[in-house]
Amino acid sequence: MKKICMIGSGYVGLVTGACLADFGNQITCVDVAEDKIASLNRGQIPFYEPGLRELVERNKAKKRLAFTTDLPESIRKCEIVFIAVGTPMDKDGAVDLSAVFDVAHTVAENLNGYKIVVNKSTVPVGTGARVRQVIREHTGGKVEFDVVSNPEFLREGSAIGDFMHPDRVVIGTSSTRAMKIMSRIYRPLYLIETPIIRTTLETAELIKYASNAFLATKISFINEVAMLCEQVGADIQVLAKAVGLDGRIGSKFLHAGAGYGGSCFPKDTVGLLKVAEAAGAELKIVKAAVKANEEQRKRMVRKVIQAVGDLAGKTIGVLGLSFKPRTDDVREAPALYIIQDLQKRGAKIRAYDPVAMPNAGRVLDRVTFCDDAYAVCQGADALVFMTEWNEFRELDMTRIKELLIEPVIIDTRNIYDPEQMDNLGFRYVGVGRGKPCQA
Ligand code: UGA
């Protein structure tokens, strides 16, 4: 059992803290936001993540998980400090590290014995070394400590499963003492044969960026091939399946759609480009992936225009507002981008999302939020699917057709079968589903 202080009770900190508590450790989650800590102490989770509330409740009840705003006290009482604070993108696309360095100073001021400082936040290469420098300068080398990079690979919507059954755990440090302690923390995962990559700080930091940039590139690649499918009369769904069955390629992240969004891929691809630029290395492939993603969003707007015609005075129904299903996170959500573009062209929007409407409402203006998918269709000129929530997969399409003014569907996630939609009398537009030439 280790005493751990988790600094930052956002998405990464809270999930990691709750999961490490479940392994039997003593976790104190800290945050500067008093209202967040107060609601966590009342048992309320500030965002939607399946299974997290139960996990937090269970570990709170066992007294393994506590929440506080008292950072100095929490640092002094623990053996390991995890930094899981936000690293937002500034207006130039660079990563804003001010929260990380603020924490490093507070750690230095409260270093009352050997501690490990673990960086969980996604940070540019070299940040761990700078954190070490800040603490060393502040303490004058009087107290021992080590800095570790331990990047997270959690997906929103399935974060607990990803933590408990990861593809790998990455631990980056040059200290054998810290490596031993970190390996102990992850022993429950080692016992289920999770590969543990032990490496340097710098390599660990770059592994995180390279992983996200590769996944983003895979999505942009398949989206561009989808565009080609439309031109030549091929089907991206069949193509992606066949390509993905090659074990060297793999079937995951080959789902063509409206482009990637969220708090990670858009920020991390641009962040990696900045890191590379500063290091004098040009990453042409990542640059192209970012550009292709911007294009993909615009292409979705063009699809709506092609299907509906002039948008002035038209009403468009939108299903799905978050950047993907099973989350209420609307950061960089293609849906929001597309809605705002359609509004600029004079369209009125009716929308529904199972969990993301409160967050979307804080960003969007003049949207009529509805109680369900059918209410969205009432009086709409077309229906646009933006995410693939399970509850959107089995809708009563006969009823949808009756409710819509025109039977037009733009399915940016390829949830429905084009042939079935044609048979039902819809004008159906998917992504990458070209019609074959008739012989
Ligand atoms: C991503 C990574 O998958 C995690 O491994 C990583 O830890 C996390 O970022 C992070 O850096 O913290 P997440 O942003 O939660 O996780 O979401 P993903 O499931 O990766 O989806 C990202 C975007 O790509 C979504 O907009 C999704 O709709 C899109 N996507 C994904 C596709 O368009 N096609 C696909 O085949 C897969």
Side-chain angles (χ1 to χ4, degrees):
M1 189 277 284
K2 293 281 171 207
K3 285 190 178 159
I4 297 173
C5 165
M6 184 66 62
I7 308 178
S9 299
Y11 194 81
V12 173
L14 199 52
V15 171
T16 309
C19 289
L20 288 177
D22 219 45
F23 286 173
N25 297 293
Q26 195 75 47
I27 314 288
T28 308
C29 287
V30 192
D31 206 287
V32 283
E34 283 177 18
D35 52 339
K36 191 189 278 181
I37 293 299
S39 48
L40 283 166
N41 275 324
R42 283 196 304 271
Q44 287 163 359
I45 308 293
F47 50 84
Y48 176 82
E49 178 63 36
L52 186 57
R53 197 169 51 83
E54 295 78 356
L55 192 70
V56 166
E57 261 169 25
R58 185 165 75 231
N59 285 285
K60 249 172 77 180
K62 298 256 183 200
K63 307 231 174 302
R64 293 190 294 242
L65 187 59
F67 302 100
T68 180
T69 51
D70 190 345
L71 182 54
E73 168 83 353
S74 311
I75 294 171
R76 285 196 296 272
K77 283 207 303 219
C78 76
E79 306 163 72
I80 303 166
V81 179
F82 275 78
I83 305 180
V85 294
T87 50
M89 191 157 74
D90 70 16
K91 55 184 184 323
D92 306 321
V95 181
D96 178 355
L97 291 170
S98 49
V100 172
F101 289 116
D102 283 352
V103 166
H105 278 106
T106 315
V107 170
E109 283 160 9
N110 293 282
L111 207 63
N112 55 348
Y114 176 77
K115 291 185 203 297
I116 302 178
V117 181
V118 185
N119 203 359
K120 266 268 165 218
S121 306
T122 302
V123 291
V125 193
T127 305
R130 283 173 64 198
V131 165
R132 189 167 50 206
Q133 181 79 2
V134 165
I135 301 177
R136 191 173 286 153
E137 272 168 17
H138 203 283
T139 54
K142 287 195 203 94
V143 193
E144 278 188 279
F145 70 95
D146 282 305
V147 174
V148 173
S149 166
N150 175 217
E152 55 85 18
F153 300 100
L154 311 174
R155 284 166 305 170
E156 294 188 17
S158 47
I160 293 164
D162 285 352
F163 189 98
M164 295 298 183
H165 301 278
D167 291 334
R168 76 304 208 188
V169 168
V170 175
I171 307 172
T173 178
S174 48
S175 153
T176 28
R177 183 177 181 183
M179 188 62 85
K180 224 167 158 179
I181 296 171
M182 288 302 291
S183 301
R184 262 211 92 72
I185 290 185
Y186 284 108
R187 204 175 120 80
L189 298 180
Y190 178 74
L191 293 177
I192 56 165
E193 298 185 359
T194 303
I196 304 216
I197 308 294
R198 296 178 175 85
T199 183
T200 62
L201 257 180
E202 287 74 16
T203 308
E205 287 171 340
L206 199 52
I207 285 171
K208 168 67 195 229
Y209 274 106
S211 302
N212 274 3
F214 189 86
L215 291 169
T217 303
K218 215 172 166 188
I219 297 168
S220 276
F221 175 84
I222 206 68
N223 282 339
E224 285 203 325
V225 177
M227 168 183 68
L228 179 59
C229 283
E230 287 168 12
Q231 301 303 323
V232 299
D235 185 342
I236 194 68
Q237 296 295 99
V238 180
L239 181 147
K241 185 166 186 201
V243 168
L245 282 170
D246 185 326
R248 294 168 300 176
I249 297 172
S251 59
K252 292 181 182 157
F253 280 67
L254 281 181
H255 189 187
Y260 59 77
S263 65
C264 305
F265 289 175
K267 173 168 79 80
D268 294 350
T269 42
V270 175
L272 179 60
L273 289 176
K274 287 272 163 198
V275 167
E277 199 183 298
E282 197 190 355
L283 300 184
K284 295 196 180 99
I285 293 174
V286 181
K287 224 181 239 177
V290 171
K291 180 117 194 357
N293 197 55
E294 286 162 9
E295 282 296 315
Q296 192 65 7
R297 293 175 173 194
K298 293 183 189 150
R299 211 170 280 136
M300 296 305 112
V301 174
R302 288 202 291 273
K303 275 181 190 291
V304 179
I305 297 169
Q306 267 161 21
V308 178
D310 183 6
L311 288 172
K314 296 273 170 58
T315 299
I316 308 296
V318 176
L319 292 182
L321 295 165
S322 50
F323 77 99
K324 64 172 188 179
R326 288 161 65 83
T327 176
D328 62 355
D329 194 340
V330 297
R331 285 175 287 178
E332 293 290 324
L336 300 201
Y337 170 89
I338 286 156
I339 286 174
Q340 283 167 336
D341 198 331
L342 297 175
Q343 285 178 323
K344 265 191 232 146
R345 294 165 196 273
K348 295 193 199 80
I349 304 292
R350 297 173 67 79
Y352 167 72
D353 186 290
V355 293
M357 289 194 286
N359 284 344
R362 282 187 265 277
V363 183
L364 295 170
D365 282 332
R366 296 175 287 115
V367 169
T368 307
F369 292 108
C370 302
D371 288 340
D372 61 20
Y374 302 104
V376 163
C377 296
Q378 185 84 53
D381 294 278
L383 178 64
V384 183
F385 286 91
M386 286 304 306
T387 63
E388 65 276 30
W389 275 91
N390 280 345
E391 70 171 78
F392 298 159
R393 290 177 192 273
E394 280 298 333
L395 294 172
D396 177 349
M397 292 317 260
T398 315
R399 194 171 154 206
I400 296 268
K401 192 169 164 230
E402 277 162 15
L403 290 166
L404 286 169
I405 296 175
E406 291 287 331
V408 176
I409 289 194
I410 297 99
D411 178 2
T412 74
R413 297 285 165 177
N414 289 345
I415 308 173
Y416 284 92
D417 179 48
E419 215 175 286
Q420 275 176 12
M421 290 297 109
D422 279 353
N423 291 343
L424 283 169
F426 282 104
R427 295 209 304 278
Y428 172 89
V429 184
V431 176
R433 311 183 102 176
K435 289 216 163 67
C437 305
Q438 300 304 320

